[in-house]
Each structure stands twice: as C-alpha cells, then as structure tokens.
C-alpha cells in the first residue's frame, strides 16, 4: 500500500426528503445570497426547484437563479454565472442537478475565488489557492462530482474538454435523496451505472501491488452497483436500488477506492476527447465503448488482476491452464452487462467514424508529446489501435 492523503470534507445528508433542509444548512453556515444553478429544466418539472426555493425562503435567504447548464458543461455559461454572482453579491453557489451542473458550479466558484477566467486556470493547470463555497442537491447518480475534487469543462472553441482537480474544489455539503433520481431516464441511468463502475475500475486496474483491502472494497462496490443497476433500469422507482447507486456514485469517486494506489484514468482521458469533440456523446456512453477495447488491449500486462476481476466480480471460473481465457471472459461479461442495460459498446453506435481517430488521439496526447500512462504508455499509435478495436461492424 502506497502512502496517501485522504480528504473528504463534504458533509453528506442522505435519505428521503433531506433536500428540504438545504435552507437551514446554508443559514447555519452564515451565507446570505445564493446562486441556484441547474440544467435544462428537469428539476422544475419534478418539483425539486420549488422544494429548494421554499427551503431558502423559509430561512430568509435570498437567491438568484441560473439554469441552462448543458450536459458536458460549457465555459460560456460559466462566465455568465461569474458575472451574475459578482453583480448580485452572491456568497454561496447551490448546484441542483448532476455532474454537469455541479462542475459548472465548481468552475463559477473557481473564477470568483481567484477573480480570473476559470478556463485559463484549467488549460494552464493553475492550482487553486482559494475556494468559493459550493453545495449540492444531487439529482443523478453518476459522475461523483458531489464529493470529488474534480471538475470537467468544455470549450466549444477547439472542441476541448478538460478537467482540473484540487481538494479546494470539493463541495462543502451534498444533499442526496435517492427519490430525486426516480425520474432519470433509462439511458441516463445506464450512463450513470457505467461511470460509477469506471471510477472504481480506473483505480482498480493499476500496477500497484499489495492493495488487497481496497481491491476487496472495490469488488464489493462493483458487484453491488451491477446488481442495483439491473433493478434500477427495470424499476426506476425502486428506492433501495436508487440508494445503492447514489451512495456508490460518491464512494466511487471521493478518493476512497484509490487510497494506497497510483491511478492514471486512461479510459477517462480518452473519453473526454470523444465527448469533447462530439457533444452528443454522454460521458457514460463514451466510457462503455472505450473500456472493453482498452481492457482487451492491456490485460496481458496484468493478467492476474484481470483474472481476479473476472472471478470476483463476474463469477467466472478460473482456468489455471489458460489464465488469459479467464481474463478475457471477465471483460466479455462486462461488455455483455453494458449491452444488457442498453449502453453502446461500439463507435458505430455513437455515430462516430474512423476519420476522427487521429485528431482525438493527437489531442489526447498533446500532439504525441505526452502519452497516457497505463500499464504501458499509450501514445498516439496505441490510442488509435484502441479506438479501432471499438469501431464495431
Ligand atoms: O439538464 P437537465 O434538464 O437537468 O437534465 C439532465 C441531463 O439532460 C438529466 N437529469 C439530471 N437529473 C435528472 C435528470 N433527468 C430527469 N430526472 C433527474 N432527476 O440528465 C442529463 C445528464 O446530466 P449530466 O449532469 O450531464 O450527467 P452526469 O451526472 O453524468 O454528468 C456528466 C458530466 O460530468 C463529467 C462528465 O465528463 C460530464 O461532463 N464528469 C465529472 C466528474 C467530476 N466532476 O468528478 C467525473 C466524471 O468522470 C465525469 O468526467
Ligand atoms: Zn467519469
């Protein structure tokens, strides 16, 4: 186990109806004017917006609103949000939504805290020195941004999607009521399941040795998500299944499953190029296409771990004579699981052709200068090979 720092400052309120107390929590913390930040309107349709404003009004907290965050959140609206907060003397940002809304809120906070354009900080990898408080009412179990140190922003100029990670970007609180996710579509539920699994898998498949404790926690999380995922897809208002997915969303990306390890997130880095260049691609859908291809490309460099994954997560019987059969069967069962929840597993299903592979691989490796770290370094050529393995017929 490698040495590590572990910091999860986000106060979590979990359970039915918890979002009604968001006003009390903000008042307790002494904030006076809130920006309510949200997406394309699902929270208004479901009545979540009304619950939140009642909670703020009951505590005498004033607020302004900014909706319109798109999936794969854009820098333009973030800049608008910064101006609005400055003009309105906002001292707290409340993100009501999924990963895109939370990331947009984090970026507005980053800009406000430093009085600087957040895209400039993201692209130049400038570490934050201050934080602006962001709280969350979560409506979608997926990205884990409600507790993560990360945020991901898209700049349509250059079609770049980039992340900046820092502990100062972790939300101060997260209200999580699984009932709020009953209205999430089958497709977005599937994307969420894939993303949750991937946040643990990117930390599971590393070169590190002696990681048994965290590997067992990771395998347990993956099995629970796999089972709850099947139920949530069939029964969208199954509380226990939605609750498992919601808490797994946070546990999978708050850093826990990466403790004592050194994870590099190669599949995420490739996916960010896909959804950065093709805005119609949801992050989870891009991941479900790329993971099986990446796994088939690298499994031979850590065959024991891929066998362990196959046996402990997918109940594959170990073939001691031909361990590669076991490893490949585990990857195959994961791919079949993605298909069973109607997630795409080929570029063809995403409507993306081979003509874009060169450009995406180029962007992903900074023109070939910075290969992705994985079991082996993945340069442009290797990434194009992986993309080709996901083309589909
Ligand atoms: O915009 P509205 O109308 O709210 O609809 C959203 C959106 O269309 C809908 N939705 C959310 N809650 C709903 C709902 N629909 C019905 N009922 C509800 N209760 O779902 C759609 C997708 O929302 P989005 O926030 O984009 O999804 P997700 O949570 O998967 O976030 C994806 C973004 O997070 C980034 C991704 O790259 C992507 O940009 N990520 C952020 C991470 C982080 N900050 O730590 C880590 C991840 O790896 C990921 O990269
Ligand atoms: Zn992700």
């Amino acid at each position: 186990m490698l040495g590590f720092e572990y910091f999860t400052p986000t106060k979590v309120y979990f359970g039915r109806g918890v979002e009604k107390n968001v006003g009390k929590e903000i008042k307790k913390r002494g904030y006076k004017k809130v920006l309510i930040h949200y997406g394309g309107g699902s929270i208004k349709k479901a009545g979540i917006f009304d619950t939140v404003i009642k909670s703020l009004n009951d505590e005498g907290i004033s607020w302004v609103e900014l909706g319109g965050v798109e999936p794969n959140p854009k820098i333009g609206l973030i800049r608008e949000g910064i101006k609005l907060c400055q003009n309105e003397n906002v001292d707290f940002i409340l993100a009501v939504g999924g990963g895109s809304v939370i990331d947009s809120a984090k970026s507005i906070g980053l800009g406000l805290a430093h009085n600087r354009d957040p895209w400039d900080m993201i692209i130049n990898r400038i570490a934050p020195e201050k934080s602006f408080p962001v709280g969350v009412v979560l409506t979608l179990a997926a990205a884990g941004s409600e507790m993560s140190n990360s945020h991901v922003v898209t700049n349509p100029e250059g079609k770049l999607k980039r992340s900046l990670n820092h502990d100062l970007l972790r939300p101060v609180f997260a209200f999580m009521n699984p009932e709020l996710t009953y209205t999430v579509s089958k497709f977005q539920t599937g994307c969420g399941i894939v993303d949750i699994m991937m946040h643990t898998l990117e930390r599971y498949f590393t070169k590190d040795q002696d990681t048994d404790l965290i590997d067992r926690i990771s395998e347990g999380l993956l099995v629970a998500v796999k089972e709850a995922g099947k139920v949530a897809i069939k029964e969208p208002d199954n509380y226990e299944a939605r609750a498992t997915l919601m808490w797994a969303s946070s546990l999978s990306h708050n850093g826990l499953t990466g403790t004592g390890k050194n994870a590099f997130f190669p599949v995420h880095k490739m996916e960010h190029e896909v959804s950065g260049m093709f805005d119609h691609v949801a992050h989870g859908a891009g991941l479900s296409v790329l993971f099986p291809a990446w796994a088939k490309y690298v499994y031979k460099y850590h065959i024991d771990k891929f066998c362990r994954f196959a046996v402990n997560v997918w109940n594959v019987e170990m073939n001691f004579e031909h361990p590669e059969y076991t490893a490949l069967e585990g990857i195959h069962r994961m791919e079949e699981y993605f298909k069973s929840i109607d997630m795409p597993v080929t570029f063809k299903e995403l409507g993306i052709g081979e003509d874009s592979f060169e450009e995406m691989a180029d962007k992903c490796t900074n023109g070939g200068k910075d290969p992705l770290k994985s079991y082996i370094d993945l340069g442009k050529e290797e990434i194009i090979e992986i993309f080709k393995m996901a083309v589909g017929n």
Side-chain angles (χ1 to χ4, degrees), residues 40 42 99-100 103 139 145 148 150 161 180 183 199 253 268 272 283:
S42 71
S100 295
D103 286 1
T139 67
S145 187
S148 82
S150 177
K161 186 175 186 184
L180 301 190
T183 51
H199 291 154
H253 206 34
H268 268 70
H272 286 163
H283 173 60

Side-chain angles (χ1 to χ4, degrees), residues 47 110 201 274 298 367:
L110 183 68
L201 285 174
V274 177
V298 301

